[in-house]
Structure formats: C-alpha cells, structure tokens
Amino acid sequence: MTNENEYRPGLEELAQHYKAILSLLGEDPTREGLQKTPLRVAKAMQTLTRGYYQDPKEVLTQALFEEKYNQMVIVKDIDFFSMCEHHMLPFYGKAHVAYIPNGRITGLSKIARVVNIYSHRLQVQERMTQQIKECIQETLQPLGVMVVIEARHMCMQMRGVEKQNSITTTSDFCGAFNQAKTRQEFMNLIRG
C-alpha cells in the first residue's frame, strides 16, 4: 500500500466477514446505523495493518548518508498506535530509539517510520521492541542500538484486569548499549 487512502485486495470479502460478526453479536447489520459499518471496519483494519506491506529496511536505506559522527543519535517520544494480537485491541504509547553511527546515518524521520511500520501489524510490545532494534542494527550496522517502548494496553484497561493507569515498558539493546554507562546515558536523555 503506497498511499494511506488505497486499500488492498480482499476489502469486500473482509467487509462481509464483519457483517457476519455483527450478526453473530446479536446486531442487525441492515439497520441504518450499521449498514456501512462492515466496510468502514474493513478499511480501518487494512489501514491499521498496513505495516505488513511495507519494508522497514527499505525505508531506512532511502536516506542513508556517509557521516563520521559516532555519538548517540536519539529520536524520542515517537507516538505510535498498534493492535494487540491476542485480543485485537489497541495499545499505544511512545517509542524512544537510539543508535550510535558507524560511518553511516539515516534521516531522522526514517526512524519514526520504522516504528510506524512495525506498529501497524498485529503485535505484542515485546516483539515490536526487538523488531525495531534488529531492523536498525541489520540495516545501518551501527556501533549499537537501544529501543525503549512505553505503552498502555486497552486489553488491560477495557477488559480483563481493568487497570486504567498501568503502563508497560520494554527495552532491547545491543552493541555499545551493552555497557551500563551507555544505557544510563540514553535513559537520562529520554527522561530529561
């Protein structure tokens, strides 16, 4: 999907499934307020899962530059929205990403785009954290990468344990970030 307003093949079939789901829930999908709901939901789901059809490594290499800078580069407070693969309910929050270049840098917006691509898939926060780190490490081959994600999960807030104020934090790191001092510097900078 190149344009966010374009939809993938299977949209009508997906809408038919949502129409059946409405019936199974006890609703009348022919009721005025619900007549267009199956198609709306199908479009929304295709938008929310567009990350399956995007290549995050390609995004990073679209703006790759030779640069001798070898200190920490941080893009913090990257807002994201994702869908939990267990309940298909949203989880959302902020991602903080750092890397230490090794002769090459990428455009700063590309880091945020990588977060968007992985968040626009059915996910668990733990795997999303690892995928972002691995993508940057494999593509840029920096001296180190660290990712911290803080998120609220609607599957914990709306159902189940129903804890509205809980936040889940995950992290993953490699290379230079294996040193506690470097990790601490990153944490201090994102908290600052």
Side-chain angles (χ1 to χ4, degrees):
M1 189 180 320
T2 56
N3 184 325
E4 290 183 23
N5 296 321
E6 294 178 17
Y7 297 100
R8 301 186 299 272
L11 182 67
E12 291 298 329
E13 183 180 355
L14 190 56
Q16 289 304 313
H17 287 287
Y18 281 111
K19 186 175 182 179
I21 288 169
L22 287 172
S23 292
L24 290 168
L25 292 173
E27 264 295 353
D28 175 8
T30 63
R31 176 167 72 76
E32 182 184 11
L34 292 177
Q35 288 175 1
K36 294 182 182 179
T37 297
L39 184 59
R40 286 188 196 110
V41 176
K43 286 179 177 179
M45 289 306 290
Q46 281 200 354
T47 298
L48 294 171
T49 60
R50 69 180 178 261
Y52 288 120
Y53 300 90
Q54 297 172 323
D55 183 351
K57 290 180 181 182
E58 182 182 313
V59 165
L60 281 177
T61 59
Q62 287 173 351
L64 208 51
F65 308 100
E66 299 294 321
E67 190 61 54
K68 295 195 184 308
Y69 186 80
N70 64 357
Q71 299 299 313
M72 200 178 302
V73 176
I74 300 172
V75 182
K76 69 177 192 171
D77 295 331
I78 303 167
D79 292 320
F80 74 89
F81 297 89
S82 192
M83 298 272 289
C84 144
E85 70 181 34
H86 299 137
H87 303 99
M88 291 181 67
L89 289 172
F91 69 95
Y92 61 95
K94 295 188 181 296
H96 314 287
V97 180
Y99 74 101
I100 300 174
N102 188 17
R104 296 189 304 175
I105 60 171
T106 189
L108 298 175
S109 69
K110 304 307 180 192
I111 301 293
R113 288 183 191 279
V114 168
V115 171
N116 281 345
I117 289 170
Y118 284 116
S119 69
H120 281 84
R121 300 176 180 186
L122 297 180
Q123 276 291 10
V124 295
Q125 182 175 335
E126 297 88 343
R127 182 175 60 240
M128 188 172 104
T129 306
Q130 289 178 319
Q131 287 173 328
I132 294 166
K133 184 221 44 173
E134 289 168 2
C135 176
I136 294 168
Q137 179 62 37
E138 291 169 12
T139 307
L140 300 180
Q141 298 180 349
L143 299 174
V145 180
M146 185 162 178
V147 177
V148 171
I149 295 179
E150 302 168 301
R152 295 180 181 273
H153 292 252
M154 297 308 286
C155 59
M156 281 182 59
Q157 294 178 330
M158 292 176 64
R159 53 155 306 283
V161 72
E162 296 183 6
K163 297 299 176 202
Q164 278 67 49
N165 296 311
S166 64
I167 296 174
T168 301
T169 303
T170 52
S171 69
D172 197 8
F173 53 87
C174 63
F177 289 95
N178 284 318
Q179 298 174 28
K181 180 181 170 188
T182 307
R183 282 196 313 277
Q184 190 58 52
E185 178 185 352
F186 171 67
M187 295 305 290
N188 289 343
L189 287 168
I190 68 171
R191 298 289 180 238

